[in-house]
Amino acid sequence: MYHSIRRSLLALLLTLPFAAASAASPIFDAHLHYRPAEAAHFGISDVARTLAANQVRSAIVMAPEDDLIRRLKAGSDTRIVPFLEVSQRLGKKMDWMHVEDLGDRVARMLDESNVKWRGLGEFHILADDRFAPGFEQLLDLAVARDLTIMIHGDPAVIDHAYATHPEVRILWAHAGSYAYPPLVQDYLERHPRMNMDLSMRNPRINPGGQIDDAWFELFLAHPDRFMIGVDTFTRTRWEQYTRLKDETRAWLEQLPEDVARAIAFENGERLFPAP
Ligand SMILES: [Zn+2]
């Protein structure tokens, strides 16, 4: 039944004149990386121009240092929500959680910085590493400093984080390692302080250009918990930003307009308001 209601709703939306206008709606991009290696070839003005051309009004930018954030804030009209990319700085993408004094080191990075970081990440972590002391220290620090952590990891990592730190705010990258709607729904309902970034999930959400039924119903059930992102982890993805973002818009446009607006930018702006 949902299926047929959905189809008729979609048919109705497609006949309405404002449906086309939603293509220009603003975006909060919840998953950008900007690092010195990329910045050398894709400069501040390239980023600023790319974001402006795609109506990106605000964005989480994960960077390992002050300087790139400061230059980006000065050179771009997009509001930058900075996340400190610690594992890149430590040179440990997958085993940062085994750095013995991780908590102290990250606290020192924050103290010595002139940027008002709003979050930490992205952190890649597998289920087997969830008991490592560095992860515990990271959760302690995030709670103490009121920072959101971007985690790219297994479901067991999220369960462990909330078992020990119920107040921590997590952004689960790519809707988790196993982005199946029933699993995603279960995690959203059990962990109210966790939200989801949907970067890298366009093929799953919109196979063949038709939004998947289970994802469609999940977005309608929890419209306030999702954000979109392009995940610019390489220079190529910065260069392809418009195409990748258009692949996301292609399924946003199949949602009811209020749900699409929530996921496209309202959720990000509510969760990370201007200071
Ligand atoms: Zn990423």
Side-chain angles (χ1 to χ4, degrees), residues 240-269:
Q240 297 174 341
Y241 188 95
T242 299
R243 180 176 64 76
L244 296 166
K245 178 268 313 165
D246 284 347
E247 288 173 8
T248 299
R249 283 206 195 273
W251 57 260
L252 283 172
E253 286 163 11
Q254 298 174 57
L255 293 168
E257 207 188 0
D258 57 338
V259 176
R261 284 169 63 88
I263 296 174
F265 70 96
E266 287 173 353
N267 293 341
E269 297 196 342

Side-chain angles (χ1 to χ4, degrees), residues 86-237:
V86 175
S87 50
Q88 172 88 189
R89 193 148 147 187
L90 296 171
K92 291 178 173 294
K93 181 178 176 186
M94 291 308 295
D95 58 356
W96 53 269
M97 71 294 292
H98 301 297
V99 173
E100 254 176 52
D101 55 346
L102 184 102
D104 290 343
R105 288 179 68 171
V106 178
R108 209 154 48 233
M109 289 179 196
L110 292 167
D111 291 341
E112 287 167 0
S113 169
N114 292 315
V115 170
K116 180 158 177 24
W117 301 96
R118 306 287 291 273
L120 302 168
E122 173 181 18
F123 292 97
H124 294 73
I125 175 168
L126 300 169
D128 284 350
D129 289 320
R130 68 193 186 280
F131 301 108
F135 186 46
E136 176 92 25
Q137 293 164 23
L138 180 72
L139 294 166
D140 288 344
L141 185 68
V143 170
R145 306 251 181 150
D146 195 25
L147 297 167
T148 297
I149 311 180
M150 174 84 83
I151 291 183
H152 176 147
D154 293 333
V157 172
I158 303 298
D159 288 324
H160 177 69
Y162 282 109
T164 58
H165 296 72
E167 62 280 73
V168 74
R169 281 185 286 111
I170 291 175
L171 199 46
W172 202 6
H174 322 305
S177 304
Y178 305 94
Y180 302 103
L183 183 145
V184 170
Q185 176 145 4
D186 180 78
Y187 276 73
L188 286 173
E189 289 172 1
R190 284 189 296 113
H191 303 309
R193 291 178 72 80
M194 182 203 58
N195 293 290
M196 300 265 185
D197 143 53
L198 295 166
S199 61
M200 307 299 289
R201 295 309 189 197
N202 291 332
R204 255 171 213 260
I205 295 170
N206 198 32
Q210 173 82 60
I211 194 166
D212 174 81
D213 282 344
W215 281 103
F216 183 93
E217 280 154 28
L218 178 61
F219 294 148
L220 264 61
H222 295 285
D224 55 339
R225 306 289 295 281
F226 294 97
M227 287 170 272
I228 59 164
V230 166
D231 194 357
T232 50
F233 63 91
T234 61
R235 172 186 159 195
T236 307
R237 289 184 68 84

